[in-house]
Each structure stands twice: as C-alpha cells, then as structure tokens.
Amino acid sequence: MKKRITLLVALLVSGCLFAFGQASTVKGVVKDGQGLPLPGATVVIKGTNQAASTDLNGKYSIKADQTATLVFSFIGFDNQEIPVGTQTEINVTLTSNNKQLNEVVVVGYGSQKKKDITSAIATVGVKDVSARPIVNSSEILDGKASGVQVFNASGAPGGGNFSVRIRGASSPNGSEPLYVVDGVIVTNTASIDPNNIESISVLKDASAAGIYGSLGATNGVVLITSKKGSSSGEPKVEINMYAGKQQIVKKLDMLNADQYRSLIADEYANAGQTAPAFPQNFTANNNWQDLTYRTANQSGINVGLSGGSEKGTYYLGLGDLNQDGIINGTNFKRYSINLNLEQKAKKWMTFGTNIAYNRSNGRTVNDNSSANHGGTVLAALSTPPIVPIFGANGMYQSNSDNTTNPLDDIYSPNNQYISNNLLGNIHTEITLPFNIKYRSQFGISLSNYNQDSFTNPLTNQGASQVNGIGSNTNNETFRYTWDNTLTYSTVINKKHSITAVVGTEAIEEKYHNDYLYGTGFPAGITTLNAASANKQVSTYRTDWTTNSYFGRVNYGYADKYLLTASLRADGSSRAGINNKWGYFPAVSGAWRISQEDFLKDNNFIRDLKLRAGYGEVGNLPQTIYNSYSTLNPTGYLFGNNAASGYYPTNPAGNPDLKWESTKSINVGFDITVLNDRLTLSGDYYNKKTTNFIFPVVISAAEGGASNLKNTNLPGHVLNEGVEFSLTARIFDTQDFKWTATLNASFNKNNVSGMPQILDANGNKVDQTFPFGGIAFGGNGNATNLSIVKNGLPLGAFYGYQFAGVDPANGNALYKTANGGTTVNPSQADQAYLGSGLPKAVYGFANTVSYKNFSLDFLFDALTGNKVFNATRVETEGMYLIGNASTAVLGRWEKPGDITNIPAAVYGGVNSAGASTILPSSRFVENGAYLRLKNVSLSYLIKSGLLDKQGIKVRVFATAQNLFTITKYKGYYPEVNSFSGSSQNNGSLGAPSSTAVGIDYGTYPQTKTYTAGINVTF
C-alpha cells in the first residue's frame, strides 16, 4: 500500500514539473502611453538569450514556460518585467522615461527643464573628464557644442591660455564669454578643478544671456555647476588616478652645419659684404630642438567623497596634478580642494556653501618672443648648429650677434611662480507664502599671482655684466558678488505655468599689481633687497563697481506655447559718468508642435519645437576710469631741487562713453524622432555689436599731453551663421551601444559702418586700427599683422600680396593695387590676406560600448581660417645670422633660378632697396585641420566579490592629439601668440580678438598618452 501511494505521489510531482517546464506560446501587443503600437520593441526571457521583436502593429509571439519572466524594452521607455505564470496573452503599455526632455538645465539665476527652453542653450556632458588628463575646465567644451570653439593657444604646462569663442568674435575689446561658477560671476575658470564639475550650460544667444546684461554677455555665458552630495544616505567615494607621457607634436627641419655656413656666405655676398669669420669654437653640429624638448611626465589623482540625508548633503573633492612641460625645465603643479555643503535647517529654510581653492606653482620660459629677447622656442630654431652649448668661460655660448642659445634661455633665468585661486559663496534659500522663494548669495573670487625671476650671472653673459638681474611681479584680483532674488512659481488650472524671478546684484572688484626690478647682486644672493643698481618700482591699483536690477518671466500654456521675457539694468563706474546705466531687454518664445492634437498620435516624431528670440547684451569698457583723465606720478627738478609731481597719461577722460551693445536674433528648432534614437537641433543667428570702443587720436588742444581717448565709434561687427547638432543612438542593445553626436557651425564675421577720415592728401578714407604688432628680429620696431577695417572680418590679416620671385635678381615680387607687380610696393598696395577666425567649426563625439568595454573618441575640425606664420619670417627671412629651415635650400642663388623663395640678403634690404621681410601672403598659411582630439578605451572590471562590496573598478588608456591632418607648416595650426597677458605666467589672460591666429615662437602643442584607474564605492 505504501509503495502504491509513493508511486502515485511521484507521478503527480512529475506531471506538475512537466507542466511547468513545458514551454507554451505567449502572445500580445506592446503599446506606448498614448495607446499606439511600438514596432521594434524587444521581448526577452530574463536570464536567457531568447528574444522576440514586435512587428509594425506592436504584436509579438514568444515561447516561454510558466516560470519565466518576460522583459519588455524599447528606447526612450522604462523596461517592464512580467512573470508568465499561466498567461498565454500579455499586453503591455510601456511608460516613456522622457529623460532627455525632462533633463534639468541650469540657466541664469535658475533652472528649467530642457523641453521648456525657448533660447539657444547647449548642455555639455562631463562624464568623460575622469578618463582624460584635462587641466583646464574650458577644454571640456572642445567639440561638444555647436557654435562653440575652444582654442588652446599653446602646449605649455598648466593648460596654456584657452580661448572660448561662442558664435564668433563680437568685440574688438575681447571675445571671451562670461563664466558663472555656482552662481558666482568670474572672468575665467582657473579656480575650479575640472574633475569637480557636475554640469556645463552654454547660453549662446542674447535672449538667454540677456539676464546677465552688460557683464560681458556680449560673447555668451558659460554656466558651471560643481558636484554636490546626494541625499541617498549612502556615502560615496570616487578615486581617479592616471599617469602618462607627453611629447612634441612634431619637430621642424632646420639646416645642418654645412648648409648653414653656405647660407651665411650667400647672405653677405648678396648684401655686397664679406662674411665675417666664425669664432674658433663654432665647430659643433647641435640639433637645438633635440636639446630643448623632451618627453615629459604627467600624473594626477582626484578623490571625491559625497553623501548626505534628507537634512543635508556634502561633497568634498581633493586633487593633485603634476605636469612637466615638453621644454626642459618647465613644469606645473596644482593642489585643489572643493567643498560643497547644503543643509536643511527647517522645512522652509536651507543654507549652504560652495568653496573651491587651488594653489599652483611652476617654472616657465619666455615664448612668443624673438630669440634676441630670450624667446626659447625661436632660439631653438634660429641658434646656428655650429654654436657650442658652453663657451670657454663656462657660460652658455651666445651666437655672434649675442643672441642667447635656448639652453641659456631655459636654465639661466629662474622663472618661478606661485598662484592662489579662491572661489566661494554662502547662500540661503527661504520658502515664503504664496509659492515665493527668497535666495541670497554672497560670493567672492580671489586670484593672487607672484613671479620671481633671477638671471644667473655665472651662466648668462648679459647678466654677468651687471652682476645678476632680478625681478618680481605680484598681482591680486579680489571680487565680491552679492545676489538677492525672489522666485514665484505656480500652475493655474493645470495649463498655465508661470515662473517669475526678480533680483538685484552688486559687484565690486579691486586689483593691484606691483613690479620690482634690480641688478648688481652679491655672489650667492638672489633676493631683490640685495640689488644695488638699476632699482625700479612700479605699482598699479584699480577699483570698480556695478549695481544691477533684473527680472524674468517664464510662461507656458498646456506645455505647448512657451514665452520667456527678461530685463536687466546695469549701472557701472566703468562706463562714462553721463551714461552709467544700460538697459538690456530679451524675449523668446517656443511652440512645441509635437503637443498639438494633429501630432500627438504620430509614432515617428517624439518631440518637435520651434524657437525664436531677440535680446540685447552689453560689454563693459576694458579700461577702468573712463570718465576722467588719469595722472601718473613723476619727479622733476624745480630749480636745483628735486620735486614730485604728476603728468597726464593715456587715455584722456570721456564722460560720455557708452557700453558696447550686442543685439541678437535667433531662430531655431529641436526635433526628436524614432523614440529618442535621433535628435536634431538647428539655429540661425544674427548678432550685431555696436558702439564699439576704440582709442582714437585726439588733438593736443582737446587732450593735452594725452593723445588718445576711448570713444564709441559708429559701425558694427556682424556675426551671422547657422549651426546644427545631431545626436544618434546608432545601436542600443543589451550588450552593444553606440551613441554619436555631430555638430557643425558656420559663421560669417564682418566689420562695417566705421567712419571715414581724411588722409594726408585730403581724401576720405576708411578709418582703420592696426593690431598684432611684432618686432621681428627683436629690433624694437613693431610690424602690425592684423587690422580692423570696413568690409573685413574682425582682426583680419593685412599686408602685401606675394607674387613670386624675379628670376633675374632674386627679389620678391608683390601685386600692386592696379593689378601689376613690383619689387618695392607702397602702402596703397596692401590688401586683405585672410582671417584667423574660422568659417566653420566641427565636432564629432562618439561613445561605443560592448559589454564591459567602452571606447570614446572625439574628432574636431576647423576650416576657412588662416595662420600668419610669423615664425617663418625668422626661419625663412634670411636676413640675420641665425639658422633657417630647410625650405631655404630652394632659395634663389643665381640669375635664371625659378623659385618662390627670394635671395638671402644680410640686413634684410634687397637690391631694389625693399625690405625682404615685408608682411605678406608669403607667410600666411591655411590653418584648417582635422584632428583626433581624444580617444579613450576603458574596461569595467566585473567580479562577484567587488559587486558584493559595491565596488566599481574601471581601467582606461587615453591618447590626446593623436593625429592632425593639416597643410600648416609650423608646429601646430591651433596657435596664437596674442593669447593674453604674457603666455605661461600661471594666470589666464584675455586672448586678443583683433590679433588671432598669429604664430611667433609659441610653446608647441603636445601629444599625450595616459593610463589610469577609476574606483567607486
């Protein structure tokens, strides 16, 4: 009996197991929230590779047993899991995740959902920062946003001087954007470690930037938000470490010893002179580039600690960066800390602070200067190979013309600097009745820079004659900003959404600069107090303020019709006393067509929005005390007695000076299709800057000893263009994903309407302003390479049109204004030679992942721009006794030679009496390039033990500037000698907008290879 019962139970269990294990067909339909079928949705049996896809009607069919769980997924929708059980028909409605449209974007004095934006605002991802050796925050923007060009002027350690242009160059007084870090307005991003950045928003048009009025928003606004803690309650630690190598992108081919001697013989012969004999010890054959440049190390470590609860959050970031330069002896070190705290004191009150501090130090060399002035880069090119490193006296050997060799420039001057940057704010937010929030924020920005330099009299011949040369530069900029805002937000009848902001802002900035100089130092003492001769002291102080009132209203109806309007009033001590106040209105609107009834049932278009906006923004004058003529102290003799007094300086006061003003129109669209697989944005803009400020020559009767006065001139700078950004999820499966973003910007820049003046002959001619002055050969007489002139782009190259070489005598030929050629052109023959501003900027960013592997790569490109290769004036001018490039091997040497390289003539004056180094198209080159800016391969290490402990480990390898396709003959086409206050001085100056794309011995760019590890737990 027991055996029978046991058998019966066994049969029942077996039957049940068979029933549950037997696969049956499950069918159904997958729809979206609007009831429309989703073709191409994926249905997967969880934990297996068994899958099916829905057809055009959203229908599917799959075999699954009763213990299985089906996972339904579709791009742009949340996944849904449903156990099969006894069901044979499972119909599913997937919920849209709307992640992209509901993304919160930081805007001026607030934030908005991306779907509600009515202006041209770009958001830039920062997730790749931890896998790249990014030193300067501006580099994050490179290639990531349409209409934004990021330009690194040099490869110096510390990031060089980055320039960011948003929709072209707008003003002759600078074209850098306004930066706002955690609500604090700053002039640059030197104070923040890129690894501590959470998000970046770029306000590209005036309707978005108008809320910042006159504070520099003429050139756009970059909003940076630093990382904050999470209220999840779990502490989180992020560690990022990397190390790598840097090397020069390329070296230039220069003459060897025999070729150099032949060149010098030609130079003197063509000048009708006898070549002098070289010193007896000039028997070397040095490659000075090999002696100057090295493979340099770079390493960094960043640690982030974050966490919090419902009561408050915290984030602490620590960073250490050590970067050697590719020029021997140069380096940069930075230590940074970032602390963000938020505390909810009451249900109705929160307060917090954001503090970012870094301290950097380094050693620099002089660049962007001729070899005669200690320019290391040009010295490495122009020092003859026959010059030995050291002379018989043990000092560094100079050339016959006393030009120092590059090792002397590197090691004799000890140029050390220290920089401290502090950026911080404290803020509180109080919730008031009637949906009103009050926020008050007080922020400070402090930048201090100190440079000590001492030139060793034991190694440098010039310093030995005065027993050492010492100098010290110390400057400090302190700015405070106090904002107070009231924000009202409400929704009426579920259709009318209203958000209004009103506020005030007060800014004060103080600056001081001290310079000390002296010679005659006792042996072994290098401090300036020991100087006994040529003592010089110079001090400079400024102080300016701005008070502002602003307001903005955002209105939306039924999530379809959106309107934004703002007004800002600024009053500043930097404007003329009769024009202290400027008013800057802005308005923009958008129509979300996809929310209309006739598109709601459309299964192709996910979102479609048309945008249009108009706005006005301003730019403060660069000088501080514009209303008043300034005086400088001086000493003089009164009888036989020394007395103190003052003398007038430039510029003369102008109490009527106005703001520069930019009026901008923007029309654009955003469209998302194929369930978020494809997103396209496009914009047309027209941006016109008027009232631009120039120093105009005035009569002695008007200005006294001052002969210049800052004046608002008629005319305008126009930037007009279109830009596009296309993002595609090319593949998006469980194991393989590929997302690509292509952006393209096309801009036309033009100056017009400037006044006419009378020339020496009484004829009316357009008034012009020259810029980009370079003293070739260090002779002290600057040659201007660029100009501001009607009908040309801002800061266009202007000079003579090279027309070849006369085969009879080797003299250069130039085109004349009437279409002929001449060997001795006049100023009237000068013409437009091109512009350093690109006509088109491209970026192509990609993220490809397969299981635990991820590959990120970024291409960027410029077209339509020129580079004035002023370095070639020194290396191909053949007018001094320095070395030359191998290009001069093709120079004219005898009558009948057909070549494009003129005869070598010592002294730089040919047989026709004309200069051999006239600024001409001979030295203007195509600056276009296509570059693989960055490529990074990473692997996420998967381990049961690591997963159990909540630890994520990712290893990566990165290469930057891996290759560049260009026709440019210099080191690198991304270059600008006029990149701000002296290059590589540890501070970020304001790059010139009127002298762009000039290469004159600039610190070369680098290729960088790094490997690192990210750990999160």
Side-chain angles (χ1 to χ4, degrees), residues 251-262:
K251 293 179 181 177
L252 305 183
D253 295 327
M254 307 301 291
L255 300 181
N256 62 30
D258 291 337
Q259 293 166 339
Y260 168 72
R261 291 189 181 95
S262 176

Side-chain angles (χ1 to χ4, degrees), residues 539-550:
T539 61
Y540 182 69
R541 303 282 189 274
T542 62
D543 186 357
W544 60 269
T545 61
T546 296
N547 287 323
S548 306
Y549 304 91
F550 56 87

Side-chain angles (χ1 to χ4, degrees), residues 142-181:
D142 196 359
K144 298 289 190 67
S146 62
V148 179
Q149 180 195 0
V150 178
F151 192 89
N152 189 7
S154 85
N161 270 14
F162 272 87
S163 174
V164 177
R165 299 192 196 107
I166 300 175
R167 294 182 168 181
S170 300
S171 167
N173 291 292
S175 288
E176 294 302 293
L178 178 72
Y179 293 95
V180 183
V181 180

Side-chain angles (χ1 to χ4, degrees), residues 564-595:
T564 300
S566 67
L567 176 65
R568 183 173 180 121
D570 288 322
S572 177
S573 63
R574 286 167 61 177
I577 196 171
N578 296 330
N579 290 294
K580 279 186 177 181
W581 288 92
Y583 301 91
F584 307 96
V587 62
S588 59
W591 177 24
R592 291 192 66 201
I593 306 175
S594 55
Q595 294 299 102

